[in-house]
């Protein structure tokens, strides 16, 4: 395999550098255009048609940002031509995969490879989901509200609407819809501690079920609230402990129940790992004697004792492999002044190592916004990594949001002035900007209807009420063009 790499003057050096990282034989040809993205199929054809050794190449790779379709190059020169990656840093990866993947004449190679890797990863997960009837027979797996949960499945994400009991219907339903769009498997309504609001508990279950088909759960220790929620259709209950088990057992029975090693009535929680495991086992044994059999165990992830908490999960899982685990990783994310993406990735990995079943996701604090989607992606990543017996890298799914694996910045060429007749230095003194006499625009994000909104402010009327009065019409128009997820 011999590949001709077409590029512009500014990128020649960096393209050559990354091409050498692959064993594939290549030759770099530099056309008389400074920026590679400004090349066109026509310009490439004109430059290469008289190249002497052209027929010795099996393939032509153009810049990924090339305008147009490379099929025209193939037709004119008789050699298959495809779009390479957008960034030279990805070139060696593309070259190494030649023959294994089908490149495109219109889509940059790096995008195409990512799409194929993602499709493969999702297909691998879907294959497992399609085997759920068989896998549910294995100890440690169970159905929760129609969702298969357990060690043989990807971690499921329960998105809790924290303090839902203090919210109105519109707010609760907005959050529920947002969590569902983010990929949550369950929507949980959180009640207010220290208050008993059974009517509100039932109301919350109904409100959520009006806007989503996902299973709905309730987070409360109050027996009356739990009873009301179950009657309203709650399909999972968080939580039972030594203090409320006797009261809630009669109306739980067939409802999956998360059990925690506490007695909130007297404020007791064991700190020692072994004691916590033993206390939880005692509560579960009692629950089973009361006829409650669909149980998940939550050893409680303490943000001040993270290692010991996971050790407790691990010890319990080893002694009780048939009981799925519920891991409240948002207990940590919400209380760390650190970006949630990395925290959620690592905590999900640890949860996968202990064969967790359900993850808790909350977005109470501003720094935790996006946690539901992050946990959903992390759950898929860690399932694939565990299934493939690999590290969570190059899976086709990732949580790289602000950074990339490879540096895409092209190095600055200090001799760049040789490519131009003169260098223009921007003056240090900045002239004051002149405002447009027709007015200005302000850009807002409508987080409720998922819109990017541009509002015009005229110079004569800062509020521009005539514009605002047409907001409904504008919103309908913008939905066609500015929809975002």
């Amino acid at each position: 395999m011999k590949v001709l790499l077409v590029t512009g003057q500014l990128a020649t050096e960096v393209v050559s550098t990354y091409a050498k990282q692959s064993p594939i034989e290549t030759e770099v040809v530099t056309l008389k255009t400074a920026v590679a993205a400004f090349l066109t199929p026509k310009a490439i054809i004109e430059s290469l048609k008289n190249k002497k050794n052209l027929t010795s190449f099996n393939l032509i790779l153009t810049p990924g940002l090339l305008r147009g379709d490379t099929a025209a190059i193939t037709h004119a020169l008789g050699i298959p031509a495809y779009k390479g990656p957008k960034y030279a840093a990805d070139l060696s990866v593309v070259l190494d995969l030649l023959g294994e993947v089908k490149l495109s004449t219109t889509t940059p190679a790096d995008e195409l490879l990512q799409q194929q890797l993602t499709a493969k990863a999702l297909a691998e997960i879907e294959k497992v989901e399609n085997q759920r009837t068989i896998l549910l027979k294995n100890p440690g797996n169970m159905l929760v509200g129609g969702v298969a949960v357990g060690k043989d499945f990807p971690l499921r994400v329960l998105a809790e609407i924290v303090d839902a009991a203090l919210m109105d219907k519109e707010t609760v339903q907005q959050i529920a819809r947002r969590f569902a769009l983010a990929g949550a498997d369950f929507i949980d309504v959180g009640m207010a501690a220290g208050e008993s609001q059974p009517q509100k508990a039932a109301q919350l279950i109904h409100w959520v079920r009006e806007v989503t088909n996902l299973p709905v759960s309730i987070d409360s220790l109050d027996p009356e609230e739990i009873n009301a929620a179950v009657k309203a259709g709650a399909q999972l209950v968080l939580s039972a402990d030594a203090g409320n088990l006797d009261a809630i057992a009669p109306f739980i029975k067939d409802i999956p129940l998360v059990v925690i090693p506490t007695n909130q009535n007297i404020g007791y929680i064991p700190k020692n790992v072994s004691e916590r495991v033993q206390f939880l086992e005692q509560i579960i044994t009692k629950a089973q004697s009361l006829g409650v059999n669909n149980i998940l165990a939550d050893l409680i992830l303490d943000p001040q004792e993270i290692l010991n908490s996971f050790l407790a999960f691990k010890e319990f899982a080893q002694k009780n492999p048939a009981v799925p685990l519920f891991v409240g990783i948002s207990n940590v994310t919400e209380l760390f002044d650190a970006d949630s993406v990395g925290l959620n990735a690592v905590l999900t990995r640890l949860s996968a190592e202990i064969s967790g079943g359900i993850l808790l996701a909350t977005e109470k604090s501003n720094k935790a916004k996006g946690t539901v989607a992050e946990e959903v992606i992390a759950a898929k990543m860690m399932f694939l990594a565990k299934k493939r017996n690999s590290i969570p890298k190059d899976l086709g799914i990732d949580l790289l949001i602000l950074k990339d694996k490879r540096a895409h910045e092209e190095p600055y060429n200090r001799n760049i002035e040789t490519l131009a007749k003169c260098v223009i230095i921007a003056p240090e003194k900045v002239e004051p900007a002149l405002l447009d006499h027709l007015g200005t625009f302000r850009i807002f994000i409508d987080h409720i209807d998922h819109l990017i909104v541009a509002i015009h402010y005229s110079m004569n009327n800062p509020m521009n009420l005539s514009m605002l009065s047409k907001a409904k019409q504008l919103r309908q128009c913008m939905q066609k063009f500015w929809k975002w997820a």
Side-chain angles (χ1 to χ4, degrees), residues 164-169 172-173 189 191 197-210 216 218 225 228-233:
L166 307 178
M167 300 176 184
D168 59 24
K169 180 178 181 179
V172 168
Q173 293 188 334
V189 292
M191 301 303 293
Q197 303 180 68
Q199 290 184 335
K200 187 62 178 286
Q203 197 174 46
L204 287 168
I205 300 298
H206 289 306
W207 287 351
V208 174
R209 295 184 71 183
E210 286 176 6
V216 185
I218 182 169
E225 290 179 343
V230 169
K231 289 180 178 178

Side-chain angles (χ1 to χ4, degrees), residues 108-417:
D110 51 338
E111 289 184 9
L112 188 70
L113 292 176
Q114 183 60 46
Q115 291 169 9
Q116 293 178 353
L117 286 171
T118 300
K120 180 181 177 182
L122 294 177
E124 194 171 338
I125 294 173
E126 185 64 25
K127 184 178 179 180
V128 172
E129 301 288 8
N130 291 336
Q131 298 174 340
R132 78 175 206 161
T133 301
I134 297 172
L135 295 175
L136 281 169
K137 297 178 182 179
N138 296 336
N141 300 325
M142 65 187 294
L143 272 181
V144 180
V147 178
V149 171
K151 60 184 180 181
D152 292 322
F153 299 95
L155 280 153
R156 308 306 188 181
V157 176
L158 180 143
E160 178 177 342
I161 305 174
V162 180
D163 292 334
L166 307 178
M167 300 176 184
D168 59 24
K169 180 178 181 179
E170 182 180 5
T171 304
V172 168
Q173 293 188 334
Q174 286 170 3
I175 298 174
R177 282 193 292 262
R178 179 162 60 83
F179 285 170
L181 285 172
D185 299 289
F186 305 90
I187 304 295
D188 180 76
V189 292
M191 301 303 293
E195 299 180 31
S196 182
Q197 303 180 68
Q199 290 184 335
K200 187 62 178 286
Q203 197 174 46
L204 287 168
I205 300 298
H206 289 306
W207 287 351
V208 174
R209 295 184 71 183
E210 286 176 6
V211 296
T212 178
N213 293 323
L214 295 177
V216 185
S217 62
I218 182 169
D219 186 355
S220 173
L221 286 164
D222 182 82
E224 293 185 10
E225 290 179 343
I226 293 174
N227 189 17
V230 169
K231 289 180 178 178
Q235 294 168 284
L236 173 64
V237 171
L238 287 65
S239 301
D241 76 347
N244 71 351
L245 180 59
D246 287 315
I248 68 174
F251 46 82
I252 291 294
K253 300 300 181 182
D254 298 326
I255 305 297
L257 176 67
V258 175
V259 180
I260 57 177
T262 69
N263 187 332
Q264 297 290 350
N265 286 346
I266 59 175
Y268 173 69
I269 174 172
K271 290 295 183 181
N272 178 277
V273 169
S274 297
E275 290 178 0
R276 188 177 298 190
V277 171
Q278 291 172 6
F279 191 45
L280 182 57
E281 288 174 332
Q282 292 171 9
I283 300 171
I284 290 175
T285 299
K286 182 176 181 180
Q288 292 169 337
S289 71
L290 294 172
V292 180
N293 293 305
N294 295 324
I295 293 172
L296 296 95
D298 178 2
L299 279 294
I300 302 180
L301 186 53
D302 185 344
Q304 292 184 299
E305 294 281 347
I306 297 174
L307 177 58
N308 281 338
S309 297
F310 273 109
L311 288 174
F313 275 104
K314 183 178 180 180
E315 182 177 320
F316 179 89
Q318 290 173 338
K319 295 175 66 178
N320 304 272
V323 182
L325 299 177
F326 181 97
V327 190
I329 66 174
S330 278
N331 296 350
V332 175
T333 309
E334 291 277 9
L335 296 175
F336 268 49
D337 279 347
D339 290 333
S340 61
V341 180
L343 281 172
N344 285 325
V346 172
L347 292 168
T348 301
R349 173 66 186 191
L350 292 171
S351 300
E353 289 184 9
I354 58 170
S355 299
I358 298 179
L359 297 174
L360 170 68
T362 64
E363 297 187 3
K364 175 65 173 176
S365 63
N366 189 64
K367 63 179 181 284
K369 291 292 187 290
T371 283
V372 175
E374 292 162 12
E375 288 190 22
V376 168
I377 295 171
K380 291 180 171 65
M381 288 175 61
M382 305 315 160
F383 177 74
L384 287 170
K386 192 173 182 180
K387 186 173 182 293
R388 297 174 183 178
N389 193 28
S390 71
I391 56 177
K393 180 176 180 291
D394 298 325
L395 299 169
I397 302 173
D398 62 62
L399 273 173
L400 293 169
I401 296 175
L402 298 177
K403 299 181 181 180
D404 290 303
K405 290 193 292 183
R406 287 173 287 277
H408 289 155
E409 179 183 353
E410 294 186 4
Y412 170 61
N413 181 357
R414 299 192 65 84
N415 296 319
I416 195 171
E417 62 270 13

